[in-house]
Amino acid sequence: MSTHSTSTLEPDFTTALPRRSLLHRAYLLMRTADELARLYEENKTVTAKYVHATARGHEAIQLAAAFQLRPTDCATPYYRDDAMLLGMGLSPYELMLQLLAKRDDPFSGGRTYYGHPSLRRPGFPIIPHQSSATGMQAIPATGMAHGIKYLEGQGLLTSADQQPVVLCSIGDGAMTEGEVAEALQMAVLHQLPIVYVVQDNDWGISATGREMRAMNAYEFAAGFKGLHRLQLDGADFLASHAGMEEAFAYARRTRGPVLVHAKCPLLGHHTSGVRREWYRGDNLTQHALSDPLPRFHQQLLSLGFAETELTALADEARTTVAADYKRALAAPAPDPVTYLDHEFAPPAVIVESGERSPANAGKALMVDAALHAVDDILQEFPEALFYGQDVGGELGGVFREAALLAKKYGDARVFNTPIQEAYIVGSTAGMSAVGAKAIVEIQFADYIWPSLNQLVEELSKSCYLTNGKFPVQSLIRVPIGAYGGGGPYHSGSIESTLLTIRGIKVVYPSNAADMKGLLRAAFLDPNPVVLLEHKGLYWSKVPGTEDAKTTEPAAGYVIPLGKAAVAQQADAAKLRNGETCVVITYGMGVYWAKTASRELPGQVEILDLRTLNPLDYDAVEAAVRRHGKVLVLTEEPLLNSFAESLAGRIQRTCFRQLDAPVFTLGAANLPAIPLNVELERQMLPNAEKVGAMLQELLNY
């Protein structure tokens, strides 16, 4: 079969039919999904307290897809897939616990919407967190398939004999998202074992298909060479089951991707908050003609099922749903004191260990320390892989920060990606869910913005919204900062933006030893970590940055995240006499402060934060209280920055110990760094500007 073959399936009762027991279960669950929707509507004053959507009209394709899944597979349902969840083996009671935001909601403990599952349970497919940002689940789902393919290739997947497949369920409206195209591109480029099931009901919310798209998903997928396509009637269970059997068989056999376009009616509301009567009109009557439930009922009668048998199944579904609803109403709510739980998974590294300054070790540049740290990780952890733009092949990164790694470890472990920042970041969530450990790189900090959807919605929220089941282990390396006329798209500082994203860690080393120790800790941490690496410190070529080149720590050296370090101490006698101050900074600021302080011998302590989140605020407070005068120094534009936020916090918690207002210094408040080096110099802090401010602070 061609990797770009297509087929359109119609029901054929003369071919092999599903087992009678499966048809029995399908009818029971289709009735159960119908009863859920009916009960929610009848009790909408209670059930619509929180927004929900139901599967009405989509039950046939959802159950057909669910019945193909094995416990070794993975799935990313979308918000309308409650019938799919029933088909996987979840009970109505469990779905209702989420509907009512109850404590024992198995997915999130009452933290996220109905139909937003996350499950890690023996005997069930893995279902990681996915957001409501429609279409974005395609990238983490593809990342799971990518992780499975990688682990299989390394002989690390115990379930390889089961030929695991990922199911990505998505609505047709979401197929217009650019991130879906990124996912499909990587699926065909790497031939990944994933089935995309596109449920097309011809509606967004109130926008129709003709308003939203120039082609349907089946037609769109034709542009992806190597993507097997199927088109079928998603309101017909028999046709849907045959189609999904073919799709999964293809993905298991070839380990390649499949897209199934299933046409469905939308019989319920878009959600409980956007009711069908507000905008559907006669369209609802037309869609009702394709209702999968009466169609399946008639098919079963023609296959020899008795009306009394089907009536009994309908009664069973109604009784179960009513009883489960009563139980769910009485179930306990979450304990409010738990609202802080699971922001992060517990860190793997809590103490510094290993040799920071081994005997006879030479000095290393910061860029080489990073390279060696990644090399050590790839040697030690076969589940680790490294990818991004230009990090593979001959080049090994535009800064040579991955030099020769692809040759050493092979293209399956160290490889180039397309220009797809969203995929680079978002795929790590899927990798993490299946046990692969990704190190990825965004080529320049100024290029990170396309990845923020994934970083915010898929990575940062996952641990919290899954009650700790799915922290995302993800190390995202980002070269940052201005260096020698890099101009507006290669010089920016982005830490303040990143620090508004809860649920991620942000690390910013200033020297080679810290780079090696912090990079390893960031990799070992079970949470998403963004590692900011200043380009101007990579080679210690900028005057005053010679100290960024340090003795190289031994392999295995590690520094816990969230621990600041004193980069320069003040003279003890001058400290006792009240003649000192502290500069709180990170990255290039350490070296501006060091250079400036040469004119103020013994009077300036420098606290290098090293990690911006978690922040070592105990060290900050201790330093402020030692000196009473403090300058917070950053390379970012100052207005509304992390530096200003930190200064405000210091003034609140250390007010009585301060002998002067907290001073701040950063770049000019401009939208970009100009290309001309003299204009750049005027915009950015430097040692001269820092020195003038330190003199003013000490004289205050």
Side-chain angles (χ1 to χ4, degrees):
M1 184 178 290
S2 165
T3 57
H4 198 63
S5 59
T6 64
S7 60
T8 300
L9 297 178
E10 298 294 340
D12 180 359
F13 299 159
T14 66
T15 61
L17 285 164
R19 301 182 312 277
R20 183 179 179 87
S21 60
L22 186 144
L23 294 172
H24 182 283
R25 181 167 176 248
Y27 187 78
L28 174 63
L29 293 180
M30 198 177 291
R31 280 290 188 185
T32 301
D34 178 56
E35 289 297 333
L36 286 174
R38 189 190 317 279
L39 181 140
Y40 296 167
E41 182 65 13
E42 291 173 353
N43 296 274
K44 59 180 178 289
T45 56
V46 175
T47 60
K49 179 180 180 180
Y50 306 109
V51 175
H52 66 266
T54 69
R56 279 300 284 124
H58 293 234
E59 301 96 328
I61 184 61
Q62 289 183 22
L63 290 170
F67 290 171
Q68 311 307 318
L69 289 166
R70 301 170 180 173
T72 50
D73 291 333
C74 303
T76 58
Y78 90 121
Y79 60 83
R80 194 175 300 286
D81 283 351
D82 54 4
M84 185 179 291
L85 295 172
L86 292 172
M88 292 182 197
L90 277 297
S91 69
Y93 174 67
E94 290 177 301
L95 301 186
M96 291 173 188
L97 289 174
Q98 187 178 46
L99 174 82
L100 300 171
K102 296 291 189 172
R103 181 194 69 191
D104 298 327
D105 155 28
F107 308 129
S108 73
R111 294 181 175 190
T112 197
Y113 289 124
Y114 180 77
H116 289 60
S118 58
L119 195 69
R120 197 186 285 278
R121 181 187 290 178
F124 284 76
I126 292 173
I127 308 176
H129 162 266
Q130 57 270 322
S131 73
S132 277
T134 311
M136 289 177 53
Q137 72 272 35
I139 285 179
T142 307
M144 283 196 289
H146 206 155
I148 288 168
K149 185 80 170 272
Y150 170 73
L151 294 171
E152 280 182 340
Q154 300 296 311
L156 299 173
L157 198 66
T158 57
S159 61
D161 60 330
Q162 294 289 312
Q163 300 172 308
V165 167
V166 177
L167 170 65
C168 176
S169 176
I170 192 168
D172 196 71
M175 291 295 294
T176 59
E177 284 278 6
E179 292 182 9
V180 174
E182 291 192 21
L184 295 177
Q185 182 74 239
M186 289 298 282
V188 298
L189 187 63
H190 290 268
Q191 282 298 293
L192 303 178
I194 184 168
V195 177
Y196 302 96
V197 177
V198 184
Q199 300 177 52
D200 182 3
N201 60 32
D202 206 37
W203 284 96
I205 296 180
S206 65
T208 62
R210 68 178 180 274
E211 297 174 273
M212 295 186 295
R213 63 195 187 214
M215 64 198 79
N216 67 31
Y218 182 79
E219 296 160 337
F220 175 67
F224 292 90
K225 185 178 180 181
L227 179 62
H228 181 54
R229 297 181 298 151
L230 299 175
Q231 191 166 27
L232 52 91
D233 183 351
D236 185 306
F237 177 77
L238 296 177
S240 294
H241 191 269
M244 294 313 302
E245 273 196 327
E246 178 182 332
F248 271 77
Y250 178 90
R252 293 197 199 282
R253 182 179 71 255
T254 69
R255 315 308 289 143
V258 185
L259 183 137
V260 177
H261 175 242
K263 198 74 174 151
C264 307
L266 177 62
L267 301 182
H269 309 293
H270 169 73
T271 67
S272 56
V274 182
R275 297 181 62 79
R276 59 193 181 190
E277 59 266 23
W278 296 347
Y279 64 97
R280 293 290 298 279
D282 292 341
N283 175 266
L284 184 60
T285 303
Q286 296 167 7
H287 276 225
L289 299 175
S290 300
D291 189 336
L293 184 52
R295 184 187 299 192
F296 191 37
H297 187 102
Q298 289 302 315
Q299 288 173 346
L300 292 180
L301 291 177
S302 70
L303 292 171
F305 281 73
E307 185 71 56
T308 53
E309 183 179 2
L310 300 182
T311 299
L313 291 173
D315 291 343
E316 180 183 344
R318 186 175 305 110
T319 300
T320 298
V321 167
D324 283 2
Y325 181 60
K326 185 176 180 180
R327 287 175 62 206
L329 287 174
D335 186 338
V337 303
T338 64
Y339 82 102
L340 287 173
D341 294 353
H342 306 299
E343 177 190 5
F344 290 113
V349 177
I350 56 175
V351 295
E352 184 175 359
S353 64
E355 293 183 85
R356 184 177 177 94
S357 301
N360 303 318
K363 286 198 169 186
L365 295 170
M366 200 162 134
V367 69
D368 290 337
L371 169 64
H372 299 159
V374 174
D375 192 0
D376 292 343
I377 287 167
L378 293 174
Q379 287 188 54
E380 186 176 348
F381 299 95
E383 67 272 29
L385 63 166
F386 181 36
Y387 54 94
Q389 295 166 32
D390 300 303
V391 302
E394 295 293 326
L395 183 61
V398 295
F399 302 105
R400 302 294 286 157
E401 72 284 4
L404 303 179
L405 291 180
K407 286 191 172 182
K408 185 173 182 178
Y409 295 103
D411 293 338
R413 294 194 73 188
V414 181
F415 57 88
N416 293 325
T417 66
I419 302 174
Q420 293 185 344
E421 288 83 5
Y423 185 86
I424 291 168
V425 170
S427 62
T428 66
M431 293 272 184
S432 179
V434 299
K437 298 179 179 179
I439 305 170
V440 299
E441 182 181 301
I442 300 296
Q443 198 164 78
F444 291 92
D446 301 271
Y447 299 161
I448 201 170
W449 310 117
S451 74
L452 286 198
N453 268 349
Q454 293 289 326
L455 184 61
V456 173
E457 300 296 347
E458 308 303 327
L459 275 69
S460 75
K461 293 177 170 62
S462 183
C463 187
Y464 185 73
L465 290 182
T466 64
N467 254 2
K469 294 191 300 296
F470 286 96
V472 176
Q473 180 175 34
S474 173
L475 170 51
I476 304 163
R477 298 181 60 189
V478 185
I480 192 171
Y483 169 53
Y489 304 111
H490 301 80
S491 307
S493 292
I494 59 167
E495 56 266 31
S496 288
T497 298
L498 295 176
L499 290 166
T500 64
I501 303 170
R502 316 306 171 196
I504 68 169
K505 298 185 178 183
V506 180
V507 180
Y508 204 140
S510 68
N511 59 69
D514 285 352
M515 170 66 85
K516 194 165 188 182
L518 290 169
L519 192 153
R520 183 178 178 86
F523 171 78
L524 294 173
D525 200 281
N527 304 287
V529 182
V530 179
L531 182 66
L532 302 176
E533 307 174 14
H534 200 294
K535 306 186 303 293
L537 301 179
Y538 266 160
W539 300 282
S540 290
K541 289 182 179 179
V542 176
T545 64
E546 296 79 12
D547 287 350
K549 184 177 180 180
T550 69
T551 300
E552 181 167 5
Y557 173 67
V558 67
I559 301 169
L561 306 185
K563 295 294 182 183
V566 175
Q568 177 176 288
Q569 293 185 330
D571 179 78
K574 291 185 177 181
L575 176 61
R576 287 193 298 271
N577 293 335
E579 303 175 56
T580 62
C581 66
V582 60
V583 180
I584 299 172
T585 189
Y586 52 92
M588 187 63 79
V590 172
Y591 300 98
W592 291 329
K594 278 190 173 186
T595 302
S597 67
R598 292 171 189 160
E599 303 300 318
L600 301 163
Q603 291 186 269
V604 180
E605 176 180 313
I606 302 171
L607 183 69
D608 182 356
L609 293 175
R610 303 198 295 190
T611 301
L612 307 185
N613 187 38
L615 176 66
D616 189 355
Y617 196 68
D618 289 343
V620 170
E621 283 193 329
V624 172
R625 287 168 179 162
R626 273 196 302 276
H627 300 279
K629 294 181 178 180
V630 55
L631 166 64
V632 182
L633 174 61
T634 181
E635 185 171 325
E636 286 192 294
L638 191 59
L639 184 65
N640 299 327
S641 65
F642 163 70
E644 283 199 335
S645 173
L646 179 56
R649 186 175 174 188
I650 290 168
Q651 299 214 121
R652 180 173 59 83
T653 65
C654 301
F655 182 76
R656 290 187 175 132
Q657 289 78 34
L658 290 170
D659 297 321
V662 178
F663 281 31
T664 55
L665 178 62
N669 299 312
L670 294 170
I673 295 174
L675 180 65
N676 180 275
V677 291
E678 288 305 314
L679 295 177
E680 177 190 88
R681 185 174 184 278
Q682 290 299 313
M683 179 181 177
L684 294 174
N686 57 35
E688 183 181 353
K689 294 175 185 179
V690 173
M693 185 155 285
L694 288 175
Q695 193 69 61
E696 180 184 354
L697 177 61
L698 288 166
N699 291 336
Y700 190 88

